[in-house]
Amino acid sequence: MSYKQQVFKYFRQGATWAKDGFGAQLPATTTTLPPADVWQGLADNASQLTSAQPAPIPAAKLDHTGARRDAPAPSSSLAGGSSLLRSGSNVPAAGLRAPLGMLKVAAPGSPSHVPPLKRYIDQLRAGLLPDQPGPLQPPQQPVQLRMPILAGPLGTDMSSSLFGAQGTSLNVPTTLQDLLYTVEAANSARLAAEAAEGSEAHQGAYPHGLPRPPPPPPPRGRPHPAERRTLLDQHSHHHGHHHPGQQAGGHQAGVKKARASSVSVQLNKEIMAANSTSDLLLLVRNKGHHMDFFNISSAISRTPKLMGISAATDSGAADSAAAGQQQLHLDSDDRALVDCLAQLMCDKIHCFDARGLANSAWAFGKMRYVPTASLPSLIASEAAAKMDSFGAQNLSNLAWAFVYMHHRDERVLKLMADKVRHKLDEFKPQELANVLWAFASLEFHDEAMLVAATQRAAQIAPHFKEQELSNALWAMGRLGYYDRQVFGALLAEARVKLHHFLPQGISNVAWAMSAVHHYDENMLRMMVAQCMPNLSAFDVQALSNLVSALAGLGHYDSPFMDCVLAEALSRLDRFSPLNLANILWAYATLGHHDTRMLHAWAKQLSSRLSLLEGQALSNTAWSFAKLGHHDPTLFAAMASALTSKVDTLQGQALAQAAWAFAVSGTCCPALMDELALHAMRGLADSLSAEQCAMTLWAYATSRHHSPELFHALMSRLHSDAARLDSQSLSNALWAYASM
């Protein structure tokens, strides 16, 4: 704690009331100054005060308390400190009441009105400094003070009298406040004089003897741009770095540093004053060569706002599994500006600190546009070199940005995961949820980080907002990490706040439950009840995910499925082929048959089957066959689309596809041959006993003879026959006998 903080700490203790000479009620504070160590800090600063002050009070005119005998009762404390702390003062150190007697207060304009503090401050501003300041001895014991505080109807006029019409009026005019004000004024005058002489030691002094207030902390929450930092915070942070060509000290180095500071601050003002991307582009083109990393980072962070990209633009995307694939429209000026800024960042990447790297990457991610292919790699490499200086918010922003920059660097992600694990206590709920979401979106699985981060998430779950709970649960599902206690704690908190969830959040929670096979019937019922009257608020992706999740968990609610189908049919043309395939699979899995849906889905999918991957094609064929829709034209089209994608199928998809075409009665020899070859190329050993029995039955039903496939599948069944249920065993034996 600094000496100023300690003084104010002691100063704030207790309060009494006293009468002043004008009869107004004035508050007075009785407090105890700290002992010698803090006093010496004040004395060290006070030793810089000018000797051109009101004359010292002779010791003979002081009473035993240190107060002036012939002085009237003090009506204000605004004379405090100045005479007591002047160099060479013969006032006893314990006599802090003495300066109060110096001030003869009268109404403004009165002949007896003498404002010594105003004269003293005027002398300080004139640059008068002491030649040989004298020492001030600290008291050996704490000093008891009684300090009247200016108040009442005359307060404003008195302040004007003491400081002058253009003087500074203190919010709480007290003796200690005046003392500290005087010290600051003296230091500032000295610093200004030394700066004028070219001394580097005191760069950064501010005019008028008053220090600027500290910058407010940046908002913690969403990943935020560098522009939200105050100008002073960024500027002082920037000039803490040593730049190539800058001398370590001396007169010339100080001058150069001052000029760099002035240019940097002025450029940042111009950046923040830009009202459009065209304005900022013109500034970057004209003055980009003068910009340091601080200016470049500010310009990059400013750009999304000028493009009209609001905070809400990416709020939904942060919940989506396909977030990194979204694109925003940029016009020619937008792209030209981003191109220029990206090149400037590449050129000066080594000057960027952790915050500049993270915030700049975040801005590029928010714009969904990275013009220079090497930029993400450069950011990642520089971040790896400076990982020790990354804080929680920097890690969160950088991880989030990598998703939208489509950049996955295993080495950097590992360093980030280790850093996250060691700084977990510093993470706010949103920062922690964003990190988990980002690693899941990048499909980066670090077991140690996941264990620690999810446990921390469970501990602070009551502080999570709805979207943060949704993202954390979705991340666990996406990475396939399941800890029943942790997942249950997050889900319990989600249940409490469910009525505040957006449709996307509900969909993600349901999807996560399905992904880790966590069945909670009460939660599912609550979700269905909340969603049913609001299905129109769901986008097509959220609706598809919600229904698929319910099917995956085996939760069937017939009225809800009817409502979903009605909503889907009302905007069928908005669904992608994959959305349609997933909804169809959900209805087939739950056994919900609807003829309208089957005909509508067949019409929508028949011309778009080539857009589906092998797994989705297998699911679609299985769903139509399961629901009894055996249209030969549709199945022939599906067979043609699937034949070229057989190599992508896993065991379950292969068995389902063979079963679907056998049930439909569609003869597809080319597809069946490809499925058999794929199974014999090593897939047969990975098939489960049930999948082997299903495949054997399908080939026997289709009368598609393949001795090599039968031999491979029967060998696999023989080694795993104990796991077969009676139905599967019966199907396998029937198939073998038939062929």
Side-chain angles (χ1 to χ4, degrees), residues 580-636:
L580 293 171
N582 287 342
I583 292 177
L584 181 64
W585 174 88
Y587 277 75
T589 300
L590 294 173
H592 191 91
H593 184 279
D594 189 291
T595 304
R596 293 176 306 158
M597 180 188 71
L598 293 173
H599 287 290
W601 258 247
K603 182 179 179 180
Q604 284 287 326
L605 286 172
S606 58
S607 62
R608 305 164 71 187
L609 291 171
S610 61
L611 300 176
L612 293 175
E613 298 295 332
Q615 177 70 53
L617 283 168
S618 172
N619 287 348
T620 301
W622 177 86
S623 300
F624 276 118
K626 177 87 162 39
L627 292 171
H629 188 80
H630 303 154
D631 183 350
T633 303
L634 175 63
F635 271 84

Side-chain angles (χ1 to χ4, degrees), residues 86-435:
R86 68 185 176 278
S87 61
S89 172
N90 59 1
V91 179
L96 276 185
R97 292 185 60 192
L100 299 178
M102 289 180 54
L103 183 60
K104 298 178 180 179
V105 179
S110 170
S112 61
H113 173 59
V114 180
L117 184 58
K118 177 182 181 301
R119 288 201 312 272
Y120 172 63
I121 293 175
D122 288 342
Q123 292 166 349
L124 285 176
R125 288 175 175 168
L128 299 176
L129 297 172
D131 294 327
Q132 293 182 343
L136 178 67
Q137 299 299 324
Q140 298 302 314
Q141 300 294 331
V143 181
Q144 295 292 329
L145 299 177
R146 184 176 179 80
M147 298 168 292
I149 300 176
L150 185 62
L154 296 178
T156 303
D157 290 338
M158 283 190 186
S159 296
S160 299
S161 302
L162 292 167
F163 287 99
Q166 298 181 353
T168 302
S169 178
L170 300 179
N171 292 331
V172 186
T174 66
T175 298
L176 284 178
Q177 292 268 23
D178 295 337
L179 175 64
L180 295 176
Y181 177 89
T182 304
V183 170
E184 291 290 351
N187 278 341
S188 296
R190 173 172 55 83
L191 292 173
E194 291 177 351
E197 296 173 0
S199 171
E200 184 188 12
H202 301 288
Q203 287 292 333
Y206 300 111
H208 309 306
L210 290 176
R212 293 184 183 177
R220 306 295 291 264
R222 298 195 57 73
H224 66 283
E227 66 187 68
R228 295 187 187 179
R229 285 181 282 173
T230 62
L231 187 61
L232 176 59
D233 180 38
Q234 295 186 40
H235 177 62
S236 60
H237 182 71
H238 158 56
H239 286 290
H241 288 270
H242 178 74
H243 294 278
Q246 178 178 322
Q247 300 179 28
H251 175 77
Q252 293 299 325
V255 173
K256 289 181 181 178
K257 188 173 182 180
R259 289 175 180 169
S261 169
S262 175
V263 170
S264 181
V265 171
Q266 181 58 38
L267 280 173
N268 220 62
K269 290 180 179 178
E270 295 181 36
I271 290 168
M272 295 306 168
N275 294 318
S276 66
T277 52
S278 299
D279 292 344
L280 188 54
L281 176 60
L282 183 62
L283 176 64
V284 171
R285 282 176 171 170
N286 291 338
K287 300 184 180 181
H289 57 287
H290 292 303
M291 291 183 177
D292 55 20
F293 93 86
F294 152 64
N295 301 133
I296 298 169
S297 178
S298 295
I300 293 171
S301 298
R302 176 93 172 135
T303 301
K305 184 175 181 180
L306 295 177
M307 290 179 179
I309 303 174
S310 65
T313 302
D314 55 277
S315 61
D319 288 327
S320 172
Q325 299 177 0
Q326 298 185 0
Q327 295 292 331
L328 299 178
H329 173 71
L330 304 182
D331 62 25
S332 57
D333 281 349
D334 295 341
R335 290 182 180 274
L337 174 59
V338 179
D339 290 349
C340 290
L341 291 173
Q343 188 58 54
L344 286 173
M345 186 174 185
C346 288
D347 293 342
K348 300 186 179 182
I349 191 71
H350 298 302
C351 299
F352 278 67
D353 61 1
R355 190 173 187 178
L357 289 168
N359 286 348
S360 299
W362 177 86
F364 281 116
K366 192 172 184 181
M367 293 181 284
R368 315 290 196 270
Y369 175 60
V370 183
T372 307
S374 61
L375 181 59
S377 297
L378 287 173
I379 292 175
S381 178
E382 196 66 23
K386 297 174 180 176
M387 191 57 64
D388 288 343
S389 61
F390 271 72
Q393 193 170 26
N394 303 145
L395 291 165
S396 174
N397 286 1
L398 187 62
W400 184 93
F402 281 152
V403 176
Y404 289 98
M405 296 174 80
H406 306 283
H407 185 76
R408 188 179 188 278
D409 187 317
E410 288 270 355
R411 182 180 69 92
V412 177
L413 291 175
K414 175 60 178 173
L415 290 173
M416 293 176 68
D418 291 342
K419 198 69 174 177
V420 168
R421 188 158 46 89
H422 290 106
K423 284 185 169 286
L424 277 177
D425 291 343
E426 300 178 15
F427 277 79
K428 305 293 184 183
Q430 186 178 15
E431 294 165 354
L432 185 57
N434 280 355
V435 164

Side-chain angles (χ1 to χ4, degrees), residues 357-555:
L357 289 168
N359 286 348
S360 299
W362 177 86
F364 281 116
K366 192 172 184 181
M367 293 181 284
R368 315 290 196 270
Y369 175 60
V370 183
T372 307
S374 61
L375 181 59
S377 297
L378 287 173
I379 292 175
S381 178
E382 196 66 23
K386 297 174 180 176
M387 191 57 64
D388 288 343
S389 61
F390 271 72
Q393 193 170 26
N394 303 145
L395 291 165
S396 174
N397 286 1
L398 187 62
W400 184 93
F402 281 152
V403 176
Y404 289 98
M405 296 174 80
H406 306 283
H407 185 76
R408 188 179 188 278
D409 187 317
E410 288 270 355
R411 182 180 69 92
V412 177
L413 291 175
K414 175 60 178 173
L415 290 173
M416 293 176 68
D418 291 342
K419 198 69 174 177
V420 168
R421 188 158 46 89
H422 290 106
K423 284 185 169 286
L424 277 177
D425 291 343
E426 300 178 15
F427 277 79
K428 305 293 184 183
Q430 186 178 15
E431 294 165 354
L432 185 57
N434 280 355
V435 164
L436 287 169
W437 173 86
F439 282 141
S441 298
L442 293 168
E443 297 183 353
F444 180 76
H445 188 111
D446 185 283
E447 188 74 15
M449 187 278 295
L450 276 175
V451 171
T454 54
Q455 288 179 353
R456 176 61 177 166
Q459 291 172 0
I460 61 175
H463 301 289
F464 273 52
K465 295 179 182 178
E466 302 78 46
Q467 183 174 323
E468 295 154 10
L469 289 165
S470 169
N471 285 357
L473 288 166
W474 179 89
M476 293 180 70
R478 181 66 180 271
L479 291 173
Y481 174 75
Y482 181 61
D483 181 311
R484 185 172 184 81
Q485 184 176 0
V486 169
F487 196 93
L490 293 172
L491 195 63
E493 193 61 34
R495 187 185 302 113
V496 171
K497 300 175 180 176
L498 188 62
H499 58 289
H500 292 304
F501 271 68
L502 296 175
Q504 180 70 62
I506 295 176
S507 176
N508 282 354
V509 172
W511 184 92
M513 293 172 66
S514 176
V516 298
H517 308 292
H518 184 98
Y519 188 82
D520 185 327
E521 186 172 359
N522 290 333
M523 180 65 169
L524 293 173
R525 286 180 176 177
M526 289 176 63
M527 295 168 76
V528 167
Q530 182 166 325
C531 293
M532 189 179 296
N534 300 307
L535 289 175
S536 60
F538 282 71
D539 62 29
V540 293
Q541 182 67 54
L543 197 62
S544 171
N545 287 351
L546 176 61
V547 177
S548 299
L550 294 176
L553 292 167
H555 186 80

